[in-house]
Amino acid sequence: LAKTTQPISMDSYEGQEVNITCSHNNIATNDYITWYQQFPSQGPRFIIQGYKTKVTNEVASLFIPADRKSSTLSLPRVSLSDTAVYYCLVALYNTDKLIFGTGTRLQVFP
Amino acid sequence: GAVVSQHPSRVICKSGTSVKIECRSLDFQATTMFWYRQFPKKSLMLMATSNEGSKATYEQGVEKDKFLINHASLTLSTLTVTSAHPEDSSFYICSARPRQVLSGNNYNEQFFGPGTRLTVL
């Protein structure tokens, strides 16, 4: 299993761009990188997924360098409602399992 | 679309009793459902994987006789915590993998329920 490492916590202010980096040094060739968001006392919610280079959707961007050993989730202009825990996962190619790491607790201040 | 519900949302029970938690995919059929538990300020831990009509596969260290999982249909899975004790108090979350890809942008697509808070006195 490709283990992920990400900062335990981050602080930001409203309107700022937040970048959360995740390390996954032993990612396999066919693995995808997926990010989930979780609010307190709720189930996780899918944010974005990518394989390489850059992926962008309506809520975030995901940057993956050529070696794929890390990835960066970028949240543009965060608001107070973005305060949550963000999990970086490596989706295993040949299994349904999602293995959650420690996550990054993002606190957005006014 | 792609909504997963859990019932109850919270339950308080006495030590020694059994508690059943339901997980339903409301608008899609799920070939596989997963059960997680999460302690305060901790990450989600996968407990078991269940496929419709077959026995669940438990993760290492999870007691299958204590956490009974039934996946009787493509839209319903249940987790029964038997003879619950205070150390079983936790947040239990299920997820469901659709039979057919729904979003097209998520490899290993899974949709999570809102969770069930179990408190054992």
Side-chain angles (χ1 to χ4, degrees):
Chain A
L1 296 177
K3 182 180 177 181
T4 60
T5 303
Q6 50 185 125
I8 293 176
S9 64
M10 292 182 70
D11 292 335
S12 183
Y13 291 92
E14 282 190 294
Q16 289 189 334
E17 178 184 77
V18 171
N19 296 308
I20 306 174
T21 298
C22 177
S23 297
H24 27 79
N25 289 320
N26 57 344
I27 188 170
T29 302
N30 293 323
D31 289 340
Y32 281 74
I33 299 143
T34 310
W35 287 78
Y36 280 83
Q37 175 192 55
Q38 186 183 27
F39 297 112
S41 297
Q42 293 188 28
R45 183 176 72 102
F46 171 84
I47 301 175
I48 198 167
Q49 182 183 81
Y51 183 80
K52 61 180 179 180
T53 63
K54 177 183 175 182
V55 179
T56 298
N57 62 23
E58 62 276 9
V59 297
S61 294
L62 178 60
F63 299 91
I64 305 169
D67 66 6
R68 305 200 328 124
K69 292 184 183 298
S70 68
S71 60
T72 299
L73 174 72
S74 181
L75 304 172
R77 299 182 59 79
V78 294
S79 64
L80 295 176
S81 62
D82 292 316
T83 294
V85 178
Y86 292 83
Y87 293 98
C88 163
L89 292 82
V90 173
L92 302 178
Y93 178 73
N94 60 350
T95 176
D96 289 337
K97 294 183 182 182
L98 291 178
I99 305 299
F100 285 81
T102 56
T104 297
R105 191 171 299 273
L106 173 66
Q107 179 69 54
V108 180
F109 295 95
Chain B
V3 177
V4 176
S5 69
Q6 285 185 234
H7 179 78
S9 58
R10 58 181 62 214
V11 56
I12 301 173
C13 69
K14 292 182 179 180
S15 184
T17 61
S18 294
V19 174
K20 180 185 285 188
I21 302 170
E22 292 185 349
C23 175
R24 293 182 185 272
S25 55
L26 298 185
D27 48 6
F28 66 94
Q29 292 183 326
T31 52
T32 306
M33 288 186 171
F34 305 85
W35 287 95
Y36 300 79
R37 65 188 299 183
Q38 185 175 33
F39 293 108
K41 305 285 188 184
K42 299 294 184 182
S43 184
L44 286 79
M45 287 180 50
L46 179 65
M47 299 175 66
T49 303
S50 74
N51 292 293
E52 184 261 342
S54 61
K55 289 184 178 181
T57 301
Y58 291 81
E59 294 299 301
Q60 190 173 10
V62 178
E63 300 175 60
K64 62 180 181 180
D65 294 329
K66 180 165 186 63
F67 299 100
L68 301 180
I69 293 172
N70 183 275
H71 193 161
S73 77
L74 285 172
T75 59
L76 173 64
S77 176
T78 61
L79 167 68
T80 301
V81 183
T82 62
S83 187
H85 291 284
E87 58 266 29
D88 298 323
S89 297
S90 187
F91 191 52
Y92 291 87
I93 307 170
C94 72
S95 72
R97 180 167 192 181
R99 192 176 191 181
Q100 295 173 320
V101 174
L102 298 180
S103 66
N105 61 358
N106 183 1
Y107 173 77
N108 195 1
E109 184 178 49
Q110 291 184 29
F111 298 96
F112 286 80
T116 297
R117 176 80 56 194
L118 170 63
T119 303
V120 184
L121 301 177

